[in-house]
Amino acid sequence: MGRSRDAKTAIDFKRAADILKGNDRGGYSVPTDGLYPFQWSWDSAITALGWMTIDEHRAWQEAETMFSGQWDNGMVPHILFHKDAESYFPGPDVWGSEKTIPSSAISQPPVWATAIRIMYEQTSDRSLADRKLRELLPKLIAYHEWWYRERDPGNSGLVCSYHPWESGMDNSPAWDKPLSVVPEVEWTYQRRDLGHVDAEQRPHKPEYDRYLYLVDFYKRHSFNSQYIYEHCPYKVVDIGIVSILQRAGDDLLALCRIAGHDEGVRGLEEALAHTKAAVGYLWSSERRCFLNHDLISGHAIDEVTTATVLPLFGGLADTEQASTMVDLIDSWLNATKVGLSSTHPSSPRYESQRYWRGPVWLHINWMIALGAEDYGYPQLARRLQDSTRDCVATSGFWEYFDADTGEGCGGDNFTWTAAVALYWLATSQQAART
Ligand code: DGY
């Protein structure tokens, strides 16, 4: 299903805008037609940045619609099932969360406050942005509080994840070991993803069996946070989530200060400081990056992936760690045709085109480039941006790109790929932090 590279060298930004418009379902965007027919949280946040370049009102709507599905406890679900769709499995009946807007029962990397800060700072409609920020701030704070309260009840400083889907990097080899102890679901089901995408580019059945066991587990235990924390067979400190939450927390603090919104600020400051103090525990001098940690086995997960260098984005590395990771990324980029591959190519589990086991995702490049800029490595940021531009210019707007060939993989006409192109590649403007 992947499309081979042709001689195109320029990005078709008109087409990128058309993809956003074509995937608009009225106030929210689907990642792509058929394969993903609902609203996904981190897709939506990245998509809002793309909308900013064509229709600011629509960009804020993307956030409003997502937060309209926020749970009473503050969680923003990873999927909102706004309308029925037969083309995706597992749907709302399998999740069984029975909310007004049917949803999944897990979250996704919390990139929203970062996106909203960028939208607020780059707006050309100040009064619209002020109004929207006032409405969204309490919801964002409740979301961040949810992460610290429900996903780190022991107050370790490091929040945890209960499902590979929560990482957004679903099939990363980093989750192989922690997932291997999860039982397989006993009922039969029919996957729908394989009707849209080549099986070579998607997870295997044993992984799906375990993904679904976990979905069932939350439902069987009535989404009881305390019970799930104590008994969930999959519990991982995901350095990608930790890093994204940290940056988003910094951005949220900045937004609170701008808006003179004091509520929740003290708790947020303490949580950010606590994470910063705790994260050193995940550093691996041998691997030259941070590592994910399996809370069930008690072991570090020895797999170098794009998540393990995201502490650059989160501002969680000290200067020496940052320089070490920059060297690692430089050599990593040399090892594949396009980069940054989602798993380091030296890993025995690397597969250049299988979902999160090797392919390149554009929004991850953007995040790492922002982190590199912040730490004073503009050349690395430029290399990442150039590689990102090359993927889109030569292959189009695919979900992800084969790291060894640059061919497009997964879903075509993909919303966040178009959004990253519009927001990051159409201008040389870096959203570097002030
Ligand atoms: C899927 O179904 O592949 C999604 O990534 C889950 O969120």
Side-chain angles (χ1 to χ4, degrees):
M1 265 199 210
R3 195 177 70 176
S4 52
R5 285 152 72 83
D6 56 31
K8 269 195 288 169
T9 51
I11 296 176
D12 185 347
F13 291 109
K14 155 115 187 25
R15 179 152 169 62
D18 286 344
I19 289 172
L20 253 61
K21 291 174 193 160
N23 288 338
D24 184 5
R25 295 293 179 269
Y28 71 96
S29 308
V30 298
T32 186
D33 197 35
L35 178 62
Y36 299 124
F38 309 109
Q39 185 178 21
W40 263 259
S41 176
W42 77 327
D43 289 72
S44 195
I46 303 294
T47 298
L49 296 178
W51 276 117
M52 276 301 277
T53 68
I54 36 181
D55 180 345
E56 285 197 28
H57 182 263
R58 180 62 189 78
W60 289 105
Q61 241 188 347
E62 193 71 34
E64 282 169 332
T65 311
M66 194 71 225
F67 278 84
S68 70
Q70 184 169 30
W71 284 20
D72 289 346
N73 66 3
M75 185 183 78
V76 176
H78 98 296
I79 307 176
L80 294 183
F81 301 103
H82 294 289
K83 291 180 191 155
D84 290 341
E86 287 298 310
S87 60
Y88 181 82
F89 176 87
D93 48 328
V94 183
W95 285 96
S97 63
E98 292 176 357
K99 299 288 170 189
T100 315
I101 300 177
S103 76
S104 66
I106 53 169
S107 197
Q108 232 177 4
V111 73
W112 272 109
T114 296
I116 285 168
R117 180 180 180 187
I118 292 170
M119 287 158 61
Y120 186 80
E121 289 181 345
Q122 297 183 0
T123 186
S124 49
D125 187 341
R126 179 58 54 211
S127 73
L128 173 72
D130 280 336
R131 203 168 64 246
K132 297 300 173 188
L133 181 63
R134 265 197 311 275
E135 285 164 18
L136 284 164
L137 261 184
K139 300 176 185 186
L140 283 166
I141 291 171
Y143 181 38
H144 282 241
E145 286 176 346
W146 171 82
W147 274 105
Y148 296 119
R149 189 185 61 245
E150 309 269 323
R151 295 314 185 84
D152 184 21
N155 205 20
S156 71
L158 300 169
V159 297
C160 71
S161 153
Y162 295 149
H163 200 295
W165 287 345
E166 198 151 55
S167 73
M169 306 184 180
D170 306 8
N171 199 26
S172 168
W175 318 140
D176 287 0
K177 267 202 191 139
L179 197 61
S180 68
V181 302
V182 173
E184 294 179 6
V185 80
E186 282 174 3
W187 38 271
T188 55
Y189 57 93
Q190 196 191 350
R191 284 173 65 173
R192 308 275 159 79
D193 55 324
L194 301 181
H196 304 284
V197 174
D198 195 317
E200 292 300 304
Q201 298 172 14
R202 293 289 301 175
H204 294 291
K205 182 175 183 312
E207 287 140 22
Y208 250 82
D209 287 345
R210 294 178 167 93
Y211 296 158
L212 291 168
Y213 178 91
L214 290 169
V215 169
D216 242 8
F217 178 84
Y218 316 136
K219 186 168 60 177
R220 273 192 288 122
H221 298 292
S222 312
F223 313 104
N224 178 316
S225 307
Q226 187 60 30
Y227 186 92
I228 295 171
Y229 182 71
E230 283 166 13
H231 300 285
C232 187
Y234 178 97
K235 201 161 52 173
V236 160
V237 172
D238 170 353
I239 188 63
I241 289 181
V242 169
S243 303
I244 290 169
L245 180 65
Q246 187 77 2
R247 187 179 184 106
D250 273 341
D251 290 327
L252 184 52
L253 262 186
L255 290 170
C256 287
R257 290 193 180 114
I258 290 167
H261 186 109
D262 296 333
E263 221 173 295
V265 163
R266 169 74 65 80
L268 195 52
E269 281 171 343
E270 282 172 10
L272 292 170
H274 195 21
T275 301
K276 197 141 195 174
V279 79
Y281 175 64
L282 304 178
W283 176 254
S284 163
S285 313
E286 196 191 334
R287 292 296 176 205
R288 299 188 290 155
C289 58
F290 291 79
L291 292 178
N292 296 292
H293 199 92
D294 181 0
L295 291 176
I296 301 292
S297 72
H299 295 133
I301 301 172
D302 190 18
E303 198 66 64
V304 177
T305 69
T306 39
T308 65
V309 291
L310 275 176
L312 286 173
F313 178 70
L316 284 168
D318 63 29
T319 48
E320 204 178 315
Q321 289 164 339
S323 148
T324 303
M325 286 193 284
V326 165
D327 288 346
L328 167 69
I329 296 168
D330 253 327
S331 61
W332 186 342
L333 281 167
N334 291 338
T336 56
K337 178 154 183 153
V338 292
L340 192 65
S341 63
S342 43
T343 298
H344 196 283
S346 66
S347 166
R349 296 188 176 83
Y350 170 79
E351 291 179 76
S352 69
Q353 60 169 344
R354 196 181 297 281
Y355 208 46
W356 291 104
R357 301 180 85 83
V360 180
W361 265 264
L362 304 195
H363 67 299
I364 300 290
N365 280 2
W366 168 68
M367 289 180 187
I368 296 172
L370 272 187
E373 284 271 356
D374 292 344
Y375 278 95
Y377 297 94
Q379 273 182 324
L380 177 64
R382 226 171 0 261
R383 268 192 91 185
L384 284 161
Q385 196 179 31
D386 288 346
S387 195
T388 306
R389 188 175 287 114
D390 188 40
C391 289
V392 182
T394 55
S395 295
F397 298 95
W398 290 82
E399 182 179 1
Y400 43 95
F401 298 85
D402 184 320
D404 288 343
T405 65
E407 281 175 23
C409 302
D412 194 5
N413 298 318
F414 215 83
T415 307
W416 69 8
T417 304
V420 171
L422 287 166
Y423 171 68
W424 191 37
L425 305 180
T427 63
S428 53
Q429 203 181 328
Q430 272 279 0
R433 323 181 80 198
T434 47

mmCIF file with all atom_site columns, all heavy atoms in Angstrom, residues 165-182:
data_model
loop_
_atom_site.group_PDB
_atom_site.id
_atom_site.type_symbol
_atom_site.label_atom_id
_atom_site.label_alt_id
_atom_site.label_comp_id
_atom_site.label_asym_id
_atom_site.label_entity_id
_atom_site.label_seq_id
_atom_site.pdbx_PDB_ins_code
_atom_site.Cartn_x
_atom_site.Cartn_y
_atom_site.Cartn_z
_atom_site.occupancy
_atom_site.B_iso_or_equiv
_atom_site.pdbx_formal_charge
_atom_site.auth_seq_id
_atom_site.auth_comp_id
_atom_site.auth_asym_id
_atom_site.auth_atom_id
_atom_site.pdbx_PDB_model_num
ATOM 1   N N   . TRP A 1 165 ? -1.306 1.978   23.530 1.00 0.00 ? 165 TRP A N   1
ATOM 2   C CA  . TRP A 1 165 ? -2.022 3.005   22.763 1.00 0.00 ? 165 TRP A CA  1
ATOM 3   C C   . TRP A 1 165 ? -1.947 4.363   23.443 1.00 0.00 ? 165 TRP A C   1
ATOM 4   O O   . TRP A 1 165 ? -2.091 5.387   22.807 1.00 0.00 ? 165 TRP A O   1
ATOM 5   C CB  . TRP A 1 165 ? -3.489 2.605   22.575 1.00 0.00 ? 165 TRP A CB  1
ATOM 6   C CG  . TRP A 1 165 ? -3.695 1.499   21.587 1.00 0.00 ? 165 TRP A CG  1
ATOM 7   C CD1 . TRP A 1 165 ? -2.796 1.044   20.673 1.00 0.00 ? 165 TRP A CD1 1
ATOM 8   C CD2 . TRP A 1 165 ? -4.884 0.716   21.400 1.00 0.00 ? 165 TRP A CD2 1
ATOM 9   N NE1 . TRP A 1 165 ? -3.338 0.018   19.927 1.00 0.00 ? 165 TRP A NE1 1
ATOM 10  C CE2 . TRP A 1 165 ? -4.627 -0.200  20.361 1.00 0.00 ? 165 TRP A CE2 1
ATOM 11  C CE3 . TRP A 1 165 ? -6.132 0.692   22.016 1.00 0.00 ? 165 TRP A CE3 1
ATOM 12  C CZ2 . TRP A 1 165 ? -5.571 -1.123  19.911 1.00 0.00 ? 165 TRP A CZ2 1
ATOM 13  C CZ3 . TRP A 1 165 ? -7.076 -0.229  21.576 1.00 0.00 ? 165 TRP A CZ3 1
ATOM 14  C CH2 . TRP A 1 165 ? -6.801 -1.122  20.530 1.00 0.00 ? 165 TRP A CH2 1
ATOM 15  N N   . GLU A 1 166 ? -1.749 4.341   24.780 1.00 0.00 ? 166 GLU A N   1
ATOM 16  C CA  . GLU A 1 166 ? -1.684 5.609   25.497 1.00 0.00 ? 166 GLU A CA  1
ATOM 17  C C   . GLU A 1 166 ? -0.418 6.371   25.117 1.00 0.00 ? 166 GLU A C   1
ATOM 18  O O   . GLU A 1 166 ? -0.385 7.602   25.153 1.00 0.00 ? 166 GLU A O   1
ATOM 19  C CB  . GLU A 1 166 ? -1.707 5.321   26.998 1.00 0.00 ? 166 GLU A CB  1
ATOM 20  C CG  . GLU A 1 166 ? -2.073 6.498   27.842 1.00 0.00 ? 166 GLU A CG  1
ATOM 21  C CD  . GLU A 1 166 ? -2.751 6.060   29.131 1.00 0.00 ? 166 GLU A CD  1
ATOM 22  O OE1 . GLU A 1 166 ? -2.156 5.253   29.857 1.00 0.00 ? 166 GLU A OE1 1
ATOM 23  O OE2 . GLU A 1 166 ? -3.876 6.505   29.417 1.00 0.00 ? 166 GLU A OE2 1
ATOM 24  N N   . SER A 1 167 ? 0.617  5.629   24.752 1.00 0.00 ? 167 SER A N   1
ATOM 25  C CA  . SER A 1 167 ? 1.892  6.255   24.371 1.00 0.00 ? 167 SER A CA  1
ATOM 26  C C   . SER A 1 167 ? 1.786  6.943   23.024 1.00 0.00 ? 167 SER A C   1
ATOM 27  O O   . SER A 1 167 ? 2.629  7.746   22.656 1.00 0.00 ? 167 SER A O   1
ATOM 28  C CB  . SER A 1 167 ? 2.987  5.190   24.293 1.00 0.00 ? 167 SER A CB  1
ATOM 29  O OG  . SER A 1 167 ? 2.806  4.385   23.129 1.00 0.00 ? 167 SER A OG  1
ATOM 30  N N   . GLY A 1 168 ? 0.750  6.579   22.255 1.00 0.00 ? 168 GLY A N   1
ATOM 31  C CA  . GLY A 1 168 ? 0.645  7.058   20.877 1.00 0.00 ? 168 GLY A CA  1
ATOM 32  C C   . GLY A 1 168 ? 1.627  6.332   19.962 1.00 0.00 ? 168 GLY A C   1
ATOM 33  O O   . GLY A 1 168 ? 1.548  6.445   18.748 1.00 0.00 ? 168 GLY A O   1
ATOM 34  N N   . MET A 1 169 ? 2.582  5.610   20.544 1.00 0.00 ? 169 MET A N   1
ATOM 35  C CA  . MET A 1 169 ? 3.607  4.896   19.770 1.00 0.00 ? 169 MET A CA  1
ATOM 36  C C   . MET A 1 169 ? 3.297  3.408   19.908 1.00 0.00 ? 169 MET A C   1
ATOM 37  O O   . MET A 1 169 ? 4.122  2.604   20.376 1.00 0.00 ? 169 MET A O   1
ATOM 38  C CB  . MET A 1 169 ? 4.995  5.227   20.315 1.00 0.00 ? 169 MET A CB  1
ATOM 39  C CG  . MET A 1 169 ? 5.253  6.728   20.376 1.00 0.00 ? 169 MET A CG  1
ATOM 40  S SD  . MET A 1 169 ? 6.931  7.100   20.904 1.00 0.00 ? 169 MET A SD  1
ATOM 41  C CE  . MET A 1 169 ? 6.918  8.895   20.864 1.00 0.00 ? 169 MET A CE  1
ATOM 42  N N   . ASP A 1 170 ? 2.091  3.055   19.513 1.00 0.00 ? 170 ASP A N   1
ATOM 43  C CA  . ASP A 1 170 ? 1.427  1.803   19.864 1.00 0.00 ? 170 ASP A CA  1
ATOM 44  C C   . ASP A 1 170 ? 2.301  0.554   19.833 1.00 0.00 ? 170 ASP A C   1
ATOM 45  O O   . ASP A 1 170 ? 2.307  -0.249  20.742 1.00 0.00 ? 170 ASP A O   1
ATOM 46  C CB  . ASP A 1 170 ? 0.263  1.535   18.899 1.00 0.00 ? 170 ASP A CB  1
ATOM 47  C CG  . ASP A 1 170 ? -0.719 2.683   18.803 1.00 0.00 ? 170 ASP A CG  1
ATOM 48  O OD1 . ASP A 1 170 ? -0.458 3.766   19.351 1.00 0.00 ? 170 ASP A OD1 1
ATOM 49  O OD2 . ASP A 1 170 ? -1.753 2.493   18.149 1.00 0.00 ? 170 ASP A OD2 1
ATOM 50  N N   . ASN A 1 171 ? 2.989  0.373   18.725 1.00 0.00 ? 171 ASN A N   1
ATOM 51  C CA  . ASN A 1 171 ? 3.640  -0.912  18.476 1.00 0.00 ? 171 ASN A CA  1
ATOM 52  C C   . ASN A 1 171 ? 5.149  -0.828  18.678 1.00 0.00 ? 171 ASN A C   1
ATOM 53  O O   . ASN A 1 171 ? 5.902  -1.647  18.165 1.00 0.00 ? 171 ASN A O   1
ATOM 54  C CB  . ASN A 1 171 ? 3.317  -1.310  17.030 1.00 0.00 ? 171 ASN A CB  1
ATOM 55  C CG  . ASN A 1 171 ? 3.501  -2.774  16.742 1.00 0.00 ? 171 ASN A CG  1
ATOM 56  O OD1 . ASN A 1 171 ? 3.416  -3.593  17.642 1.00 0.00 ? 171 ASN A OD1 1
ATOM 57  N ND2 . ASN A 1 171 ? 3.758  -3.104  15.490 1.00 0.00 ? 171 ASN A ND2 1
ATOM 58  N N   . SER A 1 172 ? 5.588  0.162   19.434 1.00 0.00 ? 172 SER A N   1
ATOM 59  C CA  . SER A 1 172 ? 7.020  0.332   19.666 1.00 0.00 ? 172 SER A CA  1
ATOM 60  C C   . SER A 1 172 ? 7.604  -0.935  20.308 1.00 0.00 ? 172 SER A C   1
ATOM 61  O O   . SER A 1 172 ? 6.989  -1.518  21.204 1.00 0.00 ? 172 SER A O   1
ATOM 62  C CB  . SER A 1 172 ? 7.245  1.518   20.606 1.00 0.00 ? 172 SER A CB  1
ATOM 63  O OG  . SER A 1 172 ? 8.575  1.524   21.062 1.00 0.00 ? 172 SER A OG  1
ATOM 64  N N   . PRO A 1 173 ? 8.801  -1.361  19.883 1.00 0.00 ? 173 PRO A N   1
ATOM 65  C CA  . PRO A 1 173 ? 9.421  -2.528  20.525 1.00 0.00 ? 173 PRO A CA  1
ATOM 66  C C   . PRO A 1 173 ? 9.670  -2.311  22.009 1.00 0.00 ? 173 PRO A C   1
ATOM 67  O O   . PRO A 1 173 ? 9.855  -3.270  22.759 1.00 0.00 ? 173 PRO A O   1
ATOM 68  C CB  . PRO A 1 173 ? 10.737 -2.713  19.766 1.00 0.00 ? 173 PRO A CB  1
ATOM 69  C CG  . PRO A 1 173 ? 10.903 -1.537  18.890 1.00 0.00 ? 173 PRO A CG  1
ATOM 70  C CD  . PRO A 1 173 ? 9.584  -0.826  18.776 1.00 0.00 ? 173 PRO A CD  1
ATOM 71  N N   . ALA A 1 174 ? 9.648  -1.044  22.433 1.00 0.00 ? 174 ALA A N   1
ATOM 72  C CA  . ALA A 1 174 ? 9.820  -0.778  23.870 1.00 0.00 ? 174 ALA A CA  1
ATOM 73  C C   . ALA A 1 174 ? 8.713  -1.438  24.687 1.00 0.00 ? 174 ALA A C   1
ATOM 74  O O   . ALA A 1 174 ? 8.899  -1.748  25.863 1.00 0.00 ? 174 ALA A O   1
ATOM 75  C CB  . ALA A 1 174 ? 9.820  0.732   24.129 1.00 0.00 ? 174 ALA A CB  1
ATOM 76  N N   . TRP A 1 175 ? 7.567  -1.659  24.086 1.00 0.00 ? 175 TRP A N   1
ATOM 77  C CA  . TRP A 1 175 ? 6.437  -2.227  24.857 1.00 0.00 ? 175 TRP A CA  1
ATOM 78  C C   . TRP A 1 175 ? 6.392  -3.758  24.741 1.00 0.00 ? 175 TRP A C   1
ATOM 79  O O   . TRP A 1 175 ? 5.534  -4.382  25.355 1.00 0.00 ? 175 TRP A O   1
ATOM 80  C CB  . TRP A 1 175 ? 5.092  -1.621  24.397 1.00 0.00 ? 175 TRP A CB  1
ATOM 81  C CG  . TRP A 1 175 ? 5.103  -0.148  24.148 1.00 0.00 ? 175 TRP A CG  1
ATOM 82  C CD1 . TRP A 1 175 ? 4.468  0.514   23.132 1.00 0.00 ? 175 TRP A CD1 1
ATOM 83  C CD2 . TRP A 1 175 ? 5.744  0.881   24.923 1.00 0.00 ? 175 TRP A CD2 1
ATOM 84  N NE1 . TRP A 1 175 ? 4.690  1.872   23.218 1.00 0.00 ? 175 TRP A NE1 1
ATOM 85  C CE2 . TRP A 1 175 ? 5.480  2.125   24.296 1.00 0.00 ? 175 TRP A CE2 1
ATOM 86  C CE3 . TRP A 1 175 ? 6.542  0.884   26.072 1.00 0.00 ? 175 TRP A CE3 1
ATOM 87  C CZ2 . TRP A 1 175 ? 5.973  3.340   24.783 1.00 0.00 ? 175 TRP A CZ2 1
ATOM 88  C CZ3 . TRP A 1 175 ? 7.042  2.093   26.554 1.00 0.00 ? 175 TRP A CZ3 1
ATOM 89  C CH2 . TRP A 1 175 ? 6.750  3.288   25.920 1.00 0.00 ? 175 TRP A CH2 1
ATOM 90  N N   . ASP A 1 176 ? 7.283  -4.366  23.967 1.00 0.00 ? 176 ASP A N   1
ATOM 91  C CA  . ASP A 1 176 ? 7.196  -5.821  23.747 1.00 0.00 ? 176 ASP A CA  1
ATOM 92  C C   . ASP A 1 176 ? 7.249  -6.609  25.063 1.00 0.00 ? 176 ASP A C   1
ATOM 93  O O   . ASP A 1 176 ? 6.423  -7.487  25.297 1.00 0.00 ? 176 ASP A O   1
ATOM 94  C CB  . ASP A 1 176 ? 8.323  -6.312  22.829 1.00 0.00 ? 176 ASP A CB  1
ATOM 95  C CG  . ASP A 1 176 ? 8.103  -5.896  21.373 1.00 0.00 ? 176 ASP A CG  1
ATOM 96  O OD1 . ASP A 1 176 ? 7.076  -5.235  21.090 1.00 0.00 ? 176 ASP A OD1 1
ATOM 97  O OD2 . ASP A 1 176 ? 8.965  -6.219  20.532 1.00 0.00 ? 176 ASP A OD2 1
ATOM 98  N N   . LYS A 1 177 ? 8.242  -6.281  25.891 1.00 0.00 ? 177 LYS A N   1
ATOM 99  C CA  . LYS A 1 177 ? 8.397  -7.058  27.139 1.00 0.00 ? 177 LYS A CA  1
ATOM 100 C C   . LYS A 1 177 ? 7.244  -6.796  28.094 1.00 0.00 ? 177 LYS A C   1
ATOM 101 O O   . LYS A 1 177 ? 6.615  -7.746  28.570 1.00 0.00 ? 177 LYS A O   1
ATOM 102 C CB  . LYS A 1 177 ? 9.738  -6.724  27.800 1.00 0.00 ? 177 LYS A CB  1
ATOM 103 C CG  . LYS A 1 177 ? 10.820 -7.679  27.375 1.00 0.00 ? 177 LYS A CG  1
ATOM 104 C CD  . LYS A 1 177 ? 11.943 -7.700  28.393 1.00 0.00 ? 177 LYS A CD  1
ATOM 105 C CE  . LYS A 1 177 ? 13.111 -8.463  27.796 1.00 0.00 ? 177 LYS A CE  1
ATOM 106 N NZ  . LYS A 1 177 ? 14.392 -7.842  28.079 1.00 0.00 ? 177 LYS A NZ  1
ATOM 107 N N   . PRO A 1 178 ? 6.949  -5.527  28.415 1.00 0.00 ? 178 PRO A N   1
ATOM 108 C CA  . PRO A 1 178 ? 5.824  -5.321  29.341 1.00 0.00 ? 178 PRO A CA  1
ATOM 109 C C   . PRO A 1 178 ? 4.515  -5.902  28.812 1.00 0.00 ? 178 PRO A C   1
ATOM 110 O O   . PRO A 1 178 ? 3.710  -6.421  29.580 1.00 0.00 ? 178 PRO A O   1
ATOM 111 C CB  . PRO A 1 178 ? 5.734  -3.795  29.481 1.00 0.00 ? 178 PRO A CB  1
ATOM 112 C CG  . PRO A 1 178 ? 6.747  -3.196  28.584 1.00 0.00 ? 178 PRO A CG  1
ATOM 113 C CD  . PRO A 1 178 ? 7.667  -4.275  28.117 1.00 0.00 ? 178 PRO A CD  1
ATOM 114 N N   . LEU A 1 179 ? 4.331  -5.878  27.504 1.00 0.00 ? 179 LEU A N   1
ATOM 115 C CA  . LEU A 1 179 ? 3.078  -6.400  26.936 1.00 0.00 ? 179 LEU A CA  1
ATOM 116 C C   . LEU A 1 179 ? 3.050  -7.933  26.980 1.00 0.00 ? 179 LEU A C   1
ATOM 117 O O   . LEU A 1 179 ? 1.978  -8.539  27.045 1.00 0.00 ? 179 LEU A O   1
ATOM 118 C CB  . LEU A 1 179 ? 2.924  -5.889  25.499 1.00 0.00 ? 179 LEU A CB  1
ATOM 119 C CG  . LEU A 1 179 ? 1.542  -5.981  24.878 1.00 0.00 ? 179 LEU A CG  1
ATOM 120 C CD1 . LEU A 1 179 ? 0.502  -5.174  25.655 1.00 0.00 ? 179 LEU A CD1 1
ATOM 121 C CD2 . LEU A 1 179 ? 1.561  -5.520  23.416 1.00 0.00 ? 179 LEU A CD2 1
ATOM 122 N N   . SER A 1 180 ? 4.246  -8.549  26.957 1.00 0.00 ? 180 SER A N   1
ATOM 123 C CA  . SER A 1 180 ? 4.290  -10.017 26.870 1.00 0.00 ? 180 SER A CA  1
ATOM 124 C C   . SER A 1 180 ? 3.701  -10.695 28.113 1.00 0.00 ? 180 SER A C   1
ATOM 125 O O   . SER A 1 180 ? 3.302  -11.854 28.051 1.00 0.00 ? 180 SER A O   1
ATOM 126 C CB  . SER A 1 180 ? 5.725  -10.497 26.628 1.00 0.00 ? 180 SER A CB  1
ATOM 127 O OG  . SER A 1 180 ? 6.489  -10.234 27.788 1.00 0.00 ? 180 SER A OG  1
ATOM 128 N N   . VAL A 1 181 ? 3.630  -9.989  29.240 1.00 0.00 ? 181 VAL A N   1
ATOM 129 C CA  . VAL A 1 181 ? 3.060  -10.632 30.446 1.00 0.00 ? 181 VAL A CA  1
ATOM 130 C C   . VAL A 1 181 ? 1.552  -10.395 30.556 1.00 0.00 ? 181 VAL A C   1
ATOM 131 O O   . VAL A 1 181 ? 0.900  -10.904 31.468 1.00 0.00 ? 181 VAL A O   1
ATOM 132 C CB  . VAL A 1 181 ? 3.757  -10.150 31.746 1.00 0.00 ? 181 VAL A CB  1
ATOM 133 C CG1 . VAL A 1 181 ? 5.250  -10.426 31.696 1.00 0.00 ? 181 VAL A CG1 1
ATOM 134 C CG2 . VAL A 1 181 ? 3.491  -8.661  32.010 1.00 0.00 ? 181 VAL A CG2 1
ATOM 135 N N   . VAL A 1 182 ? 1.009  -9.612  29.636 1.00 0.00 ? 182 VAL A N   1
ATOM 136 C CA  . VAL A 1 182 ? -0.442 -9.359  29.641 1.00 0.00 ? 182 VAL A CA  1
ATOM 137 C C   . VAL A 1 182 ? -1.119 -10.564 28.989 1.00 0.00 ? 182 VAL A C   1
ATOM 138 O O   . VAL A 1 182 ? -0.702 -11.013 27.921 1.00 0.00 ? 182 VAL A O   1
ATOM 139 C CB  . VAL A 1 182 ? -0.763 -8.056  28.849 1.00 0.00 ? 182 VAL A CB  1
ATOM 140 C CG1 . VAL A 1 182 ? -2.270 -7.859  28.697 1.00 0.00 ? 182 VAL A CG1 1
ATOM 141 C CG2 . VAL A 1 182 ? -0.120 -6.848  29.520 1.00 0.00 ? 182 VAL A CG2 1
#
